[in-house]
Amino acid sequence: MYLVTMLGNLLITLAISSDSHLHTPMYVFLSILSLADIGFTSTTVPKVIWDIQTHNRVISHAGCLIQLSFFYLFGCLDSVLLTVMAYDRFVAVCYPLHYPVIMNPRLCRLLILLSFLISLLDSLLQCLIMSQLTFCTNVEIPNFFCDPPQLLKLSCNDTSTNKIFMYFIGAIFGGIPVSGILFSYTQIVSSILRLPSTGGRYRAFSTCGSHLSVVCLFYGTGLGVYLSSTVSHSPRKGAVASMMYAVVAPMLNPFVYSLRNRDIKRALQRLLN
């Protein structure tokens, strides 16, 4: 699964970078999203593979904090980029004549830079909160990576303040992107419904289908992890839900975009030829 994730996302990135016809805002954002998926999966899976091969499932406190910081960095980057792509689709569908003017190269570079800065800030704040935890002795984390909710349960000190701060930061850095995506698609759907022809509606919706599928996959698996951790107390179910979120979703994203997008298919064929 890790090799498929790496290969699929690398092919998407190479296909977009090698084809001048795909040097548009939507595909530039998609290539960066593919790189973020590679980083997101590489934060956890190589350590798991190494542990299985060496039969040594140990991680230091510093190593755990480093893994957490990169996990939040790439996870937040995925979320913010999906919001930026939703805004791009909103402009393309609702203001098609003004699209080249609004989504100019300068704005695109600014949006990419802001995405990185927001993700870095989220990573630093979350890592700062988790670094305040103390552990009495060696502990066993019932997951395949340093899962923040599990670390809060295993900590010796009072974690009520840490939980409040963690959920507050999560609500800001998670709630705002979700709100932006919902607002964009509300406007997109209302614009599509106003189109007179069925063919026009289908073409307009097809430009958003791949992105909407990835959004549902990303937030659906993430919501599944949250619900499984709050409703179920089974460590196995929590680990399986985390696997869906951290491994399966990044693996499926390239297939969703390549199978539903003719431009990506042509670029991949030219690249492979």
Side-chain angles (χ1 to χ4, degrees), residues 61-72:
H61 184 257
C64 191
L65 289 177
I66 291 171
Q67 187 183 66
L68 271 176
S69 63
F70 281 106
F71 184 80
Y72 277 114

Side-chain angles (χ1 to χ4, degrees), residues 67-265:
Q67 187 183 66
L68 271 176
S69 63
F70 281 106
F71 184 80
Y72 277 114
L73 173 66
F74 291 114
C76 183
L77 185 58
D78 264 350
S79 178
V80 178
L81 282 173
L82 287 173
T83 309
V84 170
M85 293 171 75
Y87 173 72
D88 174 76
R89 294 298 85 204
F90 159 70
V91 176
V93 173
C94 299
Y95 304 98
L97 298 178
H98 301 283
Y99 179 80
V101 178
I102 297 174
M103 298 302 295
N104 57 75
R106 184 179 177 183
L107 179 63
C108 293
R109 287 193 293 267
L110 180 62
L111 289 173
I112 292 169
L113 179 61
L114 280 176
S115 300
F116 276 104
L117 291 177
I118 291 170
S119 304
L120 185 61
L121 179 62
D122 180 41
S123 174
L124 290 174
L125 290 174
Q126 295 283 6
C127 192
L128 181 64
I129 292 171
M130 301 308 293
S131 65
Q132 304 301 315
L133 301 179
T134 56
F135 301 95
C136 303
T137 181
N138 293 338
V139 294
E140 181 179 347
I141 303 171
N143 211 324
F144 63 94
F145 69 103
C146 290
D147 188 24
Q150 297 295 338
L151 292 177
L152 286 171
K153 292 178 183 177
L154 297 170
S155 177
C156 294
N157 54 350
D158 182 25
T159 60
S160 55
T161 306
N162 301 74
K163 286 180 180 178
I164 292 171
F165 276 113
M166 192 176 76
Y167 288 131
F168 178 72
I169 293 170
I172 292 175
F173 288 94
I176 293 176
V178 171
S179 301
I181 292 172
L182 289 176
F183 172 78
S184 297
Y185 273 101
T186 302
Q187 298 299 313
I188 288 170
V189 170
S190 63
S191 296
I192 290 175
L193 292 178
R194 285 197 297 267
L195 293 175
S197 64
T198 307
R201 293 177 187 174
Y202 176 78
R203 283 193 299 273
F205 186 75
S206 64
T207 61
C208 309
S210 299
H211 176 260
L212 190 60
S213 302
V214 172
V215 167
C216 294
L217 186 64
F218 181 79
Y219 287 105
T221 52
L223 185 63
V225 172
Y226 174 75
L227 292 177
S228 66
S229 62
T230 54
V231 176
S232 174
H233 298 285
S234 171
R236 180 178 177 81
K237 290 181 179 179
V240 171
S242 298
M243 180 69 74
M244 293 292 295
Y245 176 75
V247 182
V248 176
M251 182 186 70
L252 293 179
N253 285 352
F255 293 101
V256 172
Y257 271 104
S258 61
L259 292 176
R260 293 181 59 89
N261 193 301
R262 294 178 181 177
D263 294 332
I264 293 289
K265 286 181 183 178

